[in-house]
Each structure stands twice: as structure tokens, then as C-alpha cells.
Amino acid sequence: NFLLKQTLTTVEATGIPYYLVDETLQKGDTFSTRLNNAFQEVFNLGYAHVIAVGSDCPQRGSQDLLLSRQLVERNNICLGPDTHGGVHLLGLSKQIFEAGILNGISWNTARVFKQVSRFLKKENIQHQPISVYADINSSPDLLTNLNNRTTKNSLPHHPPPQLALLTND
């Protein structure tokens, strides 16, 4: 709950409209299916760009989100790599999403950033990653984060819901 509240505060500070996709709204049996469905649902609302951010990255600030908005609007994509080889943020235009970028990615592994980057290279799509941050996927990650920050609240023991920041042309 602490991480979700912190993420929502960071999102709200940007002034960017957002859509919360919590566990009750996610559809699908796998992370890949749920992520694809969440992106599709938000694009179906008429948005041209969607930035998905998890609530497990306490270092990410509102400046990162504002930069990601600029990058996804300019380049049709924005990636926020994490220290585990995944991504803490993924911004996509509808065009890139429809090209199938989310298909074939080994989500929740250390190969995510490389696989997405490989897809972009194959499709000749330029991208500029934002800051690399550590996300919290395990107890050791939590301890490392607590040693680097002054977090004093309890943290959830289950995967937090995903957020989608929305931008519209």
C-alpha cells in the first residue's frame, strides 16, 4: 500500500491524466496477457500514448514521468530499465503497440529490456531510455532499498497493481 500511495502521489504531481489498472480490472491469466489487455483497453478509450508504470520503483520521480511523456510523444516509445534487466516504465504509442512489441517478451525476467530493445532494433525504431532504477521484486531488493532510503512504512508482500499514465495528442 505504501508503494502504491507513493506512486500515485508521484503521478498526480505531474498533472498527467492517469488510469489505475488494479487487480480487479486486469484481465487475463498471465502477466503478458494482462499487460496487453490493459494497454488495449486504454488505447480503446482514444488515447494515442500510454505509459505503464509499476508501483514497485520508489526512486522514480515526477521528473522521470514528465520526461517519459516527452519521449513517448516524440519517439513513440519510452523505456525505463531496471537494475534486474526488466523495465520499471514502458511508454508506447498505439502504432508501436499494434506492431506487436509486447508479444514474445519474457515478462518478469532479466531479459525484458534486451528483448524489447532487440524488437526496436529489428523494426528500426529509435528510443532513448530514461534513468535506470532498482525496483522491489524480493526481500533482498526491499532491504537494499531501505538501506538507501528512509522508508519507514510497511510494504506489500504481493505484486502491486500496474498504473497507466495517459497522454493524448
Side-chain angles (χ1 to χ4, degrees), residues 8-166:
L8 284 170
T9 299
T10 301
V11 168
E12 289 169 350
T14 67
I16 299 171
Y18 67 93
Y19 181 72
L20 179 63
V21 182
D22 68 13
E23 293 169 345
T24 64
L25 297 173
Q26 294 176 1
K27 297 175 184 127
D29 294 332
T30 66
F31 180 81
S32 177
T33 302
R34 290 189 299 272
L35 185 63
N36 264 294
N37 288 339
F39 267 96
Q40 186 64 63
E41 183 176 331
V42 176
F43 283 126
N44 288 345
L45 295 173
Y47 289 92
H49 302 93
V50 176
I51 303 167
V53 297
S55 58
D56 59 352
C57 184
Q59 301 91 358
R60 185 184 45 236
S62 56
Q63 302 86 351
D64 296 305
L65 300 177
L66 291 169
L67 174 60
S68 68
R69 179 182 184 171
Q70 292 173 354
L71 291 172
V72 76
E73 288 176 346
R74 183 174 57 224
N75 300 333
N76 293 316
I77 187 155
C78 179
L79 297 173
D82 70 31
T83 57
H84 299 293
V87 294
H88 63 85
L89 179 146
L90 176 62
L92 300 175
S93 70
K94 188 173 184 179
Q95 172 189 1
I96 298 292
F97 172 76
E98 289 176 347
I101 190 169
L102 300 181
N103 301 329
I105 302 296
S106 302
W107 295 104
N108 300 322
T109 71
R111 298 184 303 273
V112 172
F113 183 77
K114 285 183 183 178
Q115 289 176 338
V116 171
S117 296
R118 198 173 306 129
F119 174 90
L120 296 172
K121 185 175 182 178
K122 183 181 96 180
E123 298 293 322
N124 200 27
I125 299 169
Q126 299 297 317
H127 74 285
Q128 174 186 348
I130 64 168
S131 297
V132 177
Y133 291 123
D135 58 358
I136 298 175
N137 295 329
S138 64
S139 296
D141 292 344
L142 174 59
L143 292 174
T144 299
N145 190 276
L146 289 173
N147 287 332
N148 292 332
R149 298 175 47 90
T150 57
T151 306
K152 296 179 181 165
N153 295 308
S154 62
L155 299 172
H157 298 289
H158 55 82
Q162 299 297 310
L163 290 176
L165 291 179
L166 309 178

